[in-house]
Amino acid sequence: MDVLHERCAGLDISKKDAKACVRTPSTKRRGSFITHTTTWGSTTNQVLALRDHLLAAEVTLVVIEATSDYWKPFYYLLAEELNVILVNARQVKNLPGRKTDVSDAAWLAQLGSHGLVRPSFVPDQPVRELRDLTRARTQMTRERGQIAQRLEKLLEDTGIKLAAVASDIMGVSGRAMLEALITGERDPQILADLARRKLRNKIPELTEALTGRFRDHHAFLARLYLDQYDQLTGAIGRLDERIEEAMAPFRPALDLLDTVPGINQAVAEVIIAETGGDMSRFASAGHLASWAGVCPGHHESAGRTKTTKVRPGNPYLKGALRLAAFGAARTKDTYLQARYKRLTARRGPLKALVAVEHSIITAIWHMLTDNVPYRELGGTYFTQRDPERAARRAITALNQLGYTVTLNPIEGAA
């Protein structure tokens, strides 16, 4: 194979150290190469010493395998003066039975010298900082939801079925009832009278649901859960403020994404943080969809294409797209809702949601590439695209119900 980088280095990184293999041309035999592997610590001074070592070896490419978060100090320091690429571990697997840290480093150097690895997307520092903020908010929001679930299970242990009547036990009414229970109130009628707004219409059901055996043990745990819930709510609020400041350079892209059905501000912030808001690094909308993990993989054998699951992609971006797809499927008179309903009947709701996610990420690529807002095609897009087919399907459905149909076109209708 052609050699693209005669002097190449591969780094196999762990928590404590890294194996660095430098692959250089042999001085004794033309066309052959020699490898020299050394071990370096993961501290900053050791990484800087490794950088000097690689500069002295005049390497033109350094290949680093993405291992947890241990690659970050190596990548950030080496990339200041060297050509460094980060590669996906799934794409550079070594041969089974021959896997050691030293052989992995040599394997990375060999793949890099022949140009057989594709670099992963590592954003610039402003985008990385924005990613840290949005991912922390996502994690805290998930933890807050888990606390609400623990509190609901605690109420189930007492026989109180508040969640069966109130849709959100952490709402204004639910919090008032929980606080009263913690302070010692046990009368179901008094507790039910704490309901607010529309929930007051369900006072008889609440009185029945709030009858249980709530003891001091449950009050202690409920107080603990509520304090933890409030603490996370405050932290999420501070993150929102910080994200608002960090999003200032990306405000035009944020305004464009806000025009897509199903995308709110929080989802748009995650999309921009994960993609960087710059579509030039993705060759096409298909590349972006593949990177996000919202398109099926390829599995062809003996001339037959087999069905496969969606590819693994960016989990944070995929989660944001799933929320956007849920919202778009519930937005009336939109193309995305029509697409979801059309595919649900044939492929099921899960595959229909993935298709909507793919449509959303495709639209996002074109919007941010051309700097144009989302163009709504309407909920009747598929009907208007082939009106004769839609008419035949409707007539067939009515015939199956035992009706005879006579069509009389409306004057002026399309």
Side-chain angles (χ1 to χ4, degrees):
M1 291 183 290
D2 296 335
V3 177
L4 302 182
H5 299 276
E6 289 189 346
R7 295 179 172 270
C8 185
L11 266 65
D12 183 79
I13 300 173
S14 64
K15 184 177 182 178
K16 294 182 179 181
D17 55 26
K19 306 295 183 182
C21 177
V22 178
R23 188 174 188 267
T24 56
S26 175
T27 57
K28 297 181 179 180
R29 184 179 178 183
R30 185 177 182 182
S32 61
F33 294 83
I34 59 174
T35 58
H36 179 61
T37 304
T38 52
T39 303
W40 305 82
S42 60
T43 59
T44 299
N45 291 331
Q46 285 287 302
V47 178
L48 293 176
L50 171 61
R51 186 177 67 182
D52 296 337
H53 171 72
L54 296 178
L55 289 173
E58 299 180 352
V59 298
T60 58
L61 179 67
V62 180
V63 181
I64 299 178
E65 181 181 355
T67 305
S68 184
D69 288 332
Y70 305 141
W71 60 269
K72 291 183 177 181
F74 288 88
Y75 182 92
Y76 298 152
L77 291 176
L78 296 180
E80 293 178 355
E81 299 187 26
L82 292 165
N83 179 22
V84 184
I85 62 174
L86 183 72
V87 297
N88 192 329
R90 297 180 69 254
Q91 300 175 0
V92 292
K93 286 185 178 181
N94 204 344
L95 296 176
R98 299 180 57 187
K99 189 179 185 309
T100 63
D101 293 341
V102 174
S103 64
D104 284 349
W107 179 246
L108 291 173
Q110 183 177 356
L111 292 176
S113 65
H114 295 294
L116 297 177
V117 289
R118 292 180 297 178
S120 298
F121 168 48
V122 180
D124 298 331
Q125 182 176 349
V127 180
R128 294 201 302 265
E129 294 177 353
L130 182 60
R131 271 188 178 184
D132 292 338
L133 295 173
T134 55
R135 290 181 178 183
R137 183 179 62 182
T138 299
Q139 185 63 30
M140 289 185 182
T141 303
R142 186 179 296 117
E143 292 175 0
R144 188 176 63 173
Q146 292 173 351
I147 292 173
Q149 291 176 347
R150 295 192 194 106
L151 187 56
E152 182 179 345
K153 291 182 178 181
L154 180 67
L155 294 178
E156 291 289 338
D157 184 67
T158 67
I160 293 178
K161 309 290 290 186
L162 178 60
V165 181
S167 59
D168 183 13
I169 63 174
M170 301 304 295
V172 176
S173 301
R175 284 297 298 263
M177 297 173 191
L178 291 172
E179 294 289 349
L181 283 167
I182 293 173
T183 56
E185 183 60 58
R186 299 292 183 268
D187 190 339
Q189 294 182 351
I190 296 177
L191 293 172
D193 194 56
L194 296 174
R196 300 289 185 271
R197 299 180 180 177
K198 292 183 179 181
L199 198 59
R200 294 195 64 84
N201 298 328
K202 299 181 179 180
I203 287 182
E205 294 89 340
L206 284 172
T207 304
E208 185 70 21
L210 289 169
T211 302
R213 298 178 299 170
F214 195 91
R215 301 189 301 273
D216 292 340
H217 166 73
H218 302 109
F220 172 79
L221 288 176
R223 179 77 275 163
L224 196 67
Y225 290 151
L226 289 178
D227 291 344
Q228 192 175 5
Y229 186 92
D230 293 337
Q231 182 181 6
L232 285 173
T233 301
I236 292 172
R238 292 194 296 272
L239 279 172
D240 288 336
E241 296 175 358
R242 186 74 173 183
I243 292 173
E244 183 71 20
E245 297 175 0
M247 285 298 300
F250 308 97
R251 182 60 56 182
L254 188 65
D255 294 338
L256 289 178
L257 295 184
D258 191 47
T259 61
V260 181
I263 295 183
N264 55 21
Q265 181 174 348
V267 173
E269 289 169 350
V270 173
I271 293 174
I272 293 176
E274 297 302 324
T275 62
D278 182 13
M279 297 295 106
S280 61
R281 56 178 55 92
F282 302 104
S284 64
H287 284 78
L288 176 59
S290 177
W291 181 76
V294 293
C295 66
H298 296 288
H299 185 190
E300 182 179 352
S301 178
R304 298 178 59 186
T305 301
K306 302 180 181 179
T307 58
T308 57
K309 299 179 180 179
V310 292
R311 299 185 58 198
N314 187 310
Y316 295 94
L317 179 57
K318 187 181 293 187
L321 292 174
R322 178 56 56 93
L323 291 177
F326 272 118
R330 289 168 173 78
T331 305
K332 296 182 179 180
D333 299 328
T334 60
Y335 164 80
L336 295 175
Q337 186 192 51
R339 177 167 173 76
Y340 174 77
K341 290 183 177 180
R342 186 168 179 260
L343 293 175
T344 300
R346 296 186 290 113
R347 306 302 298 273
L350 295 181
K351 291 185 178 181
L353 274 178
V354 174
V356 173
E357 294 171 20
H358 188 276
S359 298
I360 291 175
I361 198 65
T362 301
I364 289 173
W365 186 88
H366 288 285
M367 291 166 57
L368 297 182
T369 300
D370 301 330
N371 195 26
V372 294
Y374 178 79
R375 183 170 66 90
E376 178 58 59
L377 299 178
T380 59
Y381 170 78
F382 295 103
T383 302
Q384 295 176 352
R385 187 177 64 174
D386 194 350
E388 295 182 357
R389 180 182 178 184
R392 289 195 304 268
R393 291 171 62 91
I395 292 173
T396 302
L398 289 172
N399 290 337
Q400 292 175 350
L401 294 174
Y403 293 95
T404 301
V405 181
T406 301
L407 299 181
N408 296 315
I410 301 175
E411 295 183 1

